[in-house]
Structures are given as C-alpha cells and as structure tokens.
Amino acid sequence: MKKIIIGGTASLLGIGIAVGTYLFETAPSTHLPSEIGTPPEQKSPPENDDTLQPIESNGPIGYALAGELKITYDDGEHWSRVPVGIESLFAGEYNGQENELIEHSFYLSDDRSAFLYVEGADNQRVKLLYSLDRGDTWKVADIDGTIAPRFRKVDFLNEADGYVVYTGERTMSSEATKVFLTHDGGESWKEVPHPDHYRLLYDGNFIDEKTGFLSYGILNPEEPDLYVTQDGGQSWVSASIEIPDEYHLIFTTAETPYIEGNDLVLLVNQGSSGDYKGGKVKGKFISEDNGLSWSFQHEVYADE
C-alpha cells in the first residue's frame, strides 16, 4: 500500500512539472526588445506666429519665411499660410540666401497675392500661385516649361493686366528670355515675342499693356542695352540712349523705366563695378516718344 501511495505522488509531481514547463514556454514574453527603434526625426515646427516679422512689407502687407511661407495683411497680427513648398520658390539657377524671397518673384497688394515658383525636377514648369482674397483661397496658373530659370519677375499693372518675365537655359554669358502677358487678372498667360537677343537679362518691365522694356548686360557692360516694345511685345526695337561723352563707360546699365509726373524716366546706373563718385550716382534720362529715345537730364544719387 505504501508503495502505491509513493508511486501515485511521484506521478502527480511529474505531471505538474510537465504542465508547468509547457505553460512557461508558451506564455507571451515580457522581455524588452534588444533594440529600441529610434523615433522618427522631428522636424522643427514652424515658428510661432507671434514671433514672425513681416518682410518686404507694403504698409500692413508682408510675408515671412519660417519653415513655410506666410503672408499678413495687418502688419503681423494675423498670418495665412501659402500652400507652396519653400524649395519650389528658389528652384532653378539661384545661389542666394533663402531667408527672403527672390526679388521680383512675388507680388503683394491689397487685392492680390502672387508667387512665382517652379514645379518638377527634370521637366520643370514655371507656375504662378495667386490669391484674390488675401490668402483664403488659392489658384495656380501654368506659365511655361523651362530649365533652371535664373531671372524671374511678376507684376500687375491693374486688375486685369500683368506680366511675367523670366530667363533660362543659360550657357556661359547667354540665355533665353521669356515674356508672358495676362489680360484676365492672371488666370491665363500668353507668351509674346522677345528681342532676338541672348545677353544675360538685367531687368524687364511693362508700364502699360502695350509698352514694355528689356534691359540686357550684367557682365562688364560698356553701354546700356535697352529694348522697347509699343505693341504688347509683338515687336521690339533697340532704344537710343544719348550718353554724354563725359559719362561714356560710366553709365552702363539701364534700369527699368517708370512714369514720373508727365515724364517717362530712365535711370542708368554704373553696373556692379562702377566707382564714379563711389558708385552712388546714376544718370537720369527722359523720353518724349514713349521709350524709343532717351536724352540725358542730370546726375541723381541712388537714393533719390
């Protein structure tokens, strides 16, 4: 009898050990993993709106770049995000700082916000993102395809008329110039002819829907090289600028003309290496034939 009891007890112990071993091996592990995954990199959050300072402010209108592009219409009290990537605003042949937008590449007014940008990598296209309600809604206008745009400029003359000028496909000291006009407030753009000229563009503008100017020569210019159209870009001619002998090789680069009172005015500066009177003096010219010819008036200081 005693042997039976001992044998039964041993059997029960054996069964218990086997069951315990099975439960231990099949139970979920509670060990920590040997490697803890690194959390995804956290990008710096956009700067708090309270700390933003308007750039290029036009009265209460301005923009800010702080990880994203924002605009304000009340001197920084409120901001609206512009739905475009920062990299698209600087794409192309641009090597400057990116803490401010490229000069002339945007337009801000009471009733319009517009930004030129480049979409795509290999097959790039120049586009215009614009808003007519101070950033509440946005539209995109397709301008043109290009390769590595360098100079770029957008401006509006009134509610309907505006222009885009950009250059691209630069090879050494030559490049292609593109001119586009809109007559429906920026919704559609049409390319117009440009001068048969391939020097590097210095600047360009229109003063009305018909009259426009393109100024060439940024690499050691010896004289101004200004072209004018009086038929909305359908034809261009070289403007005649009478440089007095004493200013030969001094006033070399034509800026874009503008209207001052009843006069059409052109300032000709000294280029990037001019040192006449410290390089701070420009020549002032006026035209009486809507930009075809220019006569010298007098010197002006750069800040006049």
Side-chain angles (χ1 to χ4, degrees):
M1 184 65 180
K2 183 177 181 180
K3 291 181 178 179
I4 295 173
I5 294 173
I6 293 174
T9 301
S11 297
L12 291 173
L13 287 173
I15 293 171
I17 291 172
V19 172
T21 301
Y22 172 78
L23 292 175
F24 176 79
E25 292 181 348
T26 57
S29 174
T30 57
H31 289 176
L32 292 175
S34 58
E35 294 183 1
I36 301 176
T38 304
E41 182 179 356
Q42 298 295 315
K43 295 182 178 179
S44 300
E47 194 169 349
N48 188 295
D49 285 359
D50 294 337
T51 65
L52 295 178
Q53 294 296 322
I55 303 173
E56 293 286 340
S57 58
N58 175 17
I61 308 171
Y63 74 88
L65 284 171
E68 57 187 1
L69 176 61
K70 292 186 175 182
I71 56 174
T72 179
Y73 274 84
D74 54 13
D75 202 22
E77 288 294 320
H78 300 87
W79 293 88
S80 297
R81 177 180 174 274
V82 181
V84 63
I86 296 295
E87 67 281 0
S88 298
L89 299 166
F90 296 98
E93 187 181 341
Y94 177 74
N95 299 315
Q97 297 185 355
E98 298 184 1
N99 54 356
E100 293 187 10
L101 294 175
I102 300 173
E103 187 179 17
H104 305 315
S105 68
F106 63 98
Y107 177 89
L108 292 173
S109 69
D110 284 335
D111 55 5
R112 186 185 304 273
S113 313
F115 299 88
L116 283 174
Y117 70 100
V118 180
E119 184 179 85
D122 296 330
N123 298 315
Q124 296 180 328
R125 294 199 68 82
V126 176
K127 298 196 173 187
L128 184 72
L129 178 68
Y130 68 100
S131 173
L132 304 178
D133 53 16
R134 299 190 169 193
D136 288 340
T137 59
W138 293 90
K139 298 180 180 179
V140 174
D142 186 61
I143 306 295
D144 190 33
T146 185
I147 299 175
R150 184 187 64 82
F151 177 91
R152 61 205 79 181
K153 184 175 186 178
V154 59
D155 199 3
F156 286 87
L157 306 172
N158 50 49
E159 186 176 342
D161 300 306
Y163 64 89
V164 166
V165 177
Y166 79 83
T167 66
E169 302 177 356
R170 176 179 178 179
T171 302
M172 300 300 286
S173 58
S174 64
E175 64 183 1
T177 300
K178 299 276 191 174
V179 181
F180 295 83
L181 299 180
T182 182
H183 302 295
D184 58 10
E187 185 173 348
S188 63
W189 295 83
K190 181 179 181 181
E191 184 175 5
V192 299
H194 57 79
D196 186 20
H197 206 52
Y198 294 92
R199 296 181 71 185
L200 301 184
L201 186 70
Y202 175 75
D203 204 352
N205 76 334
F206 277 75
I207 59 171
D208 56 44
E209 67 274 19
K210 296 292 186 182
T211 310
F213 301 90
L214 293 172
S215 175
Y216 292 90
I218 61 175
L219 299 177
N220 302 315
E222 296 185 348
E223 59 184 2
D225 189 6
L226 182 69
Y227 280 74
V228 55
T229 179
Q230 295 182 342
D231 56 9
Q234 297 306 306
S235 62
W236 296 82
V237 296
S238 178
S240 174
I241 304 175
E242 300 177 3
I243 302 291
D245 291 342
E246 61 267 35
Y247 296 116
H248 180 57
L249 296 179
I250 293 178
F251 296 141
T252 60
T253 305
E255 300 181 355
T256 48
Y258 61 93
I259 297 174
E260 183 181 73
N262 295 322
D263 295 328
L264 185 57
V265 175
L266 170 68
L267 298 181
V268 181
N269 65 48
Q270 302 178 41
S272 59
S273 58
D275 59 359
Y276 172 67
K277 295 186 178 180
K280 299 179 180 178
V281 172
K282 303 178 182 180
K284 183 175 182 179
F285 298 74
I286 65 168
S287 175
E288 296 180 348
D289 53 12
N290 206 28
L292 294 176
S293 61
W294 300 86
S295 58
F296 180 74
Q297 298 298 296
H298 51 77
E299 297 179 4
V300 296
Y301 281 90
D303 57 355
E304 288 186 22

